Amino acid sequence: MIEQGSSMGGKKAKTVEKNDHRLLCSDVLTEVFHRLPARTLASCRLVCKSWMSELTDPHFVHEHLKRSQQKLLLFANDKANDRSLAMVLADDSGSTYQLTRPMASRSLFVHNSCNGLLCLGDSTGSVQLLNPTTGESATLPMPTYTAGSSQFSSCNWHCLGFCPSTKEHKVVHFYLGAHIDSFKVCCEIFTIGDKSWRQIGSFHGAPTDRGVHVNGAVYYLTKFRYIASSRMNCLNLESENFDVLMLPPRKSYGGHCSLAELEGKLCLLVVEGGHENPPRTMDILMLDSGDKTSWTHRYHISLPWLMPSCYFTPKHTLFHEGKIWVQLLARNLYCYDPSSSSDELKMACPESEFPFSTHTFTESIVPLRQDYFIKKMQ
């Protein structure tokens, strides 16, 4: 009996040891996964079911996303070959590599990027989400109002955002509507994983430009009847409520203003000049994330003289590799180094073969599958 008991005890010990070994291997493997780039993990998901389960776990996906480096994405339509190209700037030397691209027979454009997902649109008003790293995509139901949808429209645009508290991705749609006052805007929201859009009302202050998503909120500059454009609206993605923020006091806003995200914070870009007097300088003011009324002047940049008729749209201004990247016109990308003694923009890349748009981008393995979002919400 003693020998039998010893044998059973030995088997139990071996079983415990084996389980501990598996647990240790699992922990080590998870740490290895955390250190691999998203492009590699996209292939690893196809190895076996256990790896697929691990690499689509919501906690792992977002922890890996926190470690990912923000990069610069250039999106262009190659109309001659009927394709859309997504290129990512790998470093500040200007080298690029091609990501998985969506095949499309129609011309696409990027509304914005969030957590490695691109929010795509076209002239029909349809909306599609694409993860160019994994190649997964999802088509959303048609929005309520689709007239006037274009890459440059400030009257009908979408913005993909992420709510940190609920871990939900949401697409916000702003539009003027057919019978609404031009100084009001309608808004509807689609939560990824749901089946339909939700109307959240109409609000005073129609956008003067397309907005920007920063830390769980969508911001856009507004125009009010009889009031100069000196404020902006803010939509909180968690509460889905609007707030109004005042722009910083300034001697004049005579040029062009727009919003951008730099260093993870909301920034106001102010270009002095206009059609008669070509813009020569751009000031970048940063909003204090703790105090929504405090703005800090961060950068003053001299813009290159390109042509008398050039009217700069400094919306495409991004922070990458410690430098500020500015898109001027449709095919020119410039770079400003804050650590240098010069305040001038320098040409970053040769003029592109195609017109392109620039976006901040983080490679991720965020899945675009219905079961992923259901599991996440549970």
Side-chain angles (χ1 to χ4, degrees):
M1 293 292 293
I2 295 177
E3 291 182 359
Q4 185 178 2
S6 299
S7 176
M8 292 178 62
K11 290 181 180 179
K12 184 177 181 180
K14 288 181 179 179
T15 302
V16 173
E17 183 180 344
K18 188 176 182 179
N19 290 337
D20 289 343
H21 177 69
R22 288 179 177 176
L23 183 60
L24 178 61
C25 289
S26 177
D27 291 341
V28 173
L29 185 60
T30 299
E31 184 58 32
V32 171
F33 283 154
H34 274 302
R35 297 172 184 269
L36 294 177
R39 286 175 293 131
T40 303
L41 294 180
S43 300
C44 290
R45 294 190 309 177
L46 306 177
V47 172
C48 60
K49 290 183 178 180
S50 61
W51 283 23
M52 172 65 81
S53 178
E54 171 73 18
L55 297 178
T56 56
D57 178 75
H59 178 74
F60 175 85
V61 170
H62 289 287
E63 285 300 313
H64 184 270
L65 188 61
K66 290 179 182 178
R67 303 189 184 192
S68 300
Q69 181 185 14
Q70 191 177 73
K71 298 181 180 181
L72 186 66
L73 181 136
L74 283 66
F75 189 90
N77 283 299
D78 178 6
K79 294 184 178 180
N81 296 304
D82 194 22
R83 60 179 181 171
S84 298
L85 301 173
M87 309 291 288
V88 171
L89 194 65
D91 52 52
D92 57 5
S93 66
S95 61
T96 60
Y97 60 92
Q98 183 174 319
L99 293 175
T100 305
R101 60 176 174 79
M103 293 296 296
S105 59
R106 62 190 186 279
S107 180
L108 297 173
F109 57 85
V110 178
H111 286 292
N112 74 313
S113 171
C114 177
N115 289 348
L117 303 180
L118 301 183
C119 182
L120 303 175
D122 66 12
S123 58
T124 69
S126 66
V127 183
Q128 184 181 43
L129 299 183
L130 168 73
N131 186 329
T133 306
T134 64
E136 295 180 344
S137 64
T139 301
L140 274 57
M142 287 296 286
T144 301
Y145 189 79
T146 59
S149 179
S150 75
Q151 181 176 357
F152 308 104
S153 173
S154 62
C155 301
N156 187 349
W157 53 276
H158 299 76
C159 185
L160 172 65
F162 178 72
C163 182
S165 58
T166 63
K167 300 292 189 297
E168 292 177 321
H169 288 86
K170 297 183 179 182
V171 178
V172 184
H173 179 208
F174 294 94
Y175 61 99
L176 296 184
H179 306 290
I180 195 168
D181 187 292
S182 61
F183 287 86
K184 289 185 179 182
V185 62
C186 294
C187 182
E188 60 182 350
I189 289 181
F190 185 89
T191 301
I192 309 305
D194 287 353
K195 296 182 179 180
S196 60
W197 294 85
R198 292 179 291 104
Q199 294 284 338
I200 62 172
S202 60
F203 307 90
H204 286 283
T208 60
D209 199 354
R210 302 168 73 88
V212 61
H213 167 259
V214 182
N215 298 327
V218 177
Y219 300 87
Y220 63 88
L221 295 173
T222 65
K223 58 182 178 182
F224 285 79
R225 195 189 304 273
Y226 312 125
I227 301 175
S229 180
S230 59
R231 61 183 68 187
M232 62 181 172
N233 277 0
C234 168
L235 172 62
N236 185 303
L237 292 182
E238 179 183 4
S239 64
E240 299 183 357
N241 292 325
F242 275 88
D243 195 8
V244 176
L245 302 179
M246 300 301 297
L247 297 186
R250 188 177 175 87
K251 186 176 180 180
S252 71
Y253 284 100
H256 182 86
C257 299
S258 63
L259 300 174
E261 178 192 5
L262 292 178
E263 304 173 20
K265 294 185 178 181
L266 178 69
C267 288
L268 175 68
L269 315 178
V270 183
V271 172
E272 295 296 345
H275 294 283
E276 299 295 331
N277 180 25
R280 295 294 299 164
T281 63
M282 178 171 70
D283 291 314
I284 300 180
L285 295 83
M286 185 174 290
L287 180 65
D288 188 335
S289 56
D291 181 5
K292 294 297 185 179
T293 62
S294 177
W295 294 82
T296 303
H297 186 280
R298 290 298 304 272
Y299 304 105
H300 179 79
I301 302 174
S302 296
L303 300 175
W305 189 92
L306 296 180
M307 60 183 69
S309 61
C310 175
Y311 187 60
F312 293 102
T313 303
K315 172 184 183 298
H316 296 139
T317 300
L318 313 160
F319 195 79
H320 168 66
E321 292 285 335
K323 297 178 176 61
I324 295 175
W325 301 75
V326 182
Q327 181 182 357
L328 302 179
L329 302 181
R331 306 183 183 209
N332 301 94
L333 187 63
Y334 287 77
C335 181
Y336 166 70
D337 187 352
S339 63
S340 69
S341 56
S342 173
D343 64 352
E344 294 186 357
L345 285 175
K346 296 183 179 180
M347 179 77 77
C349 302
E351 184 171 306
S352 170
E353 182 181 356
F354 316 108
F356 63 87
S357 61
T358 53
H359 309 270
T360 52
F361 179 72
T362 304
E363 290 183 318
S364 79
I365 54 172
V366 174
L368 287 172
R369 302 198 320 269
Q370 181 73 14
D371 62 327
Y372 168 79
F373 294 102
I374 292 175
K375 179 170 62 175
K376 175 182 65 63
M377 289 186 289
Q378 290 175 345

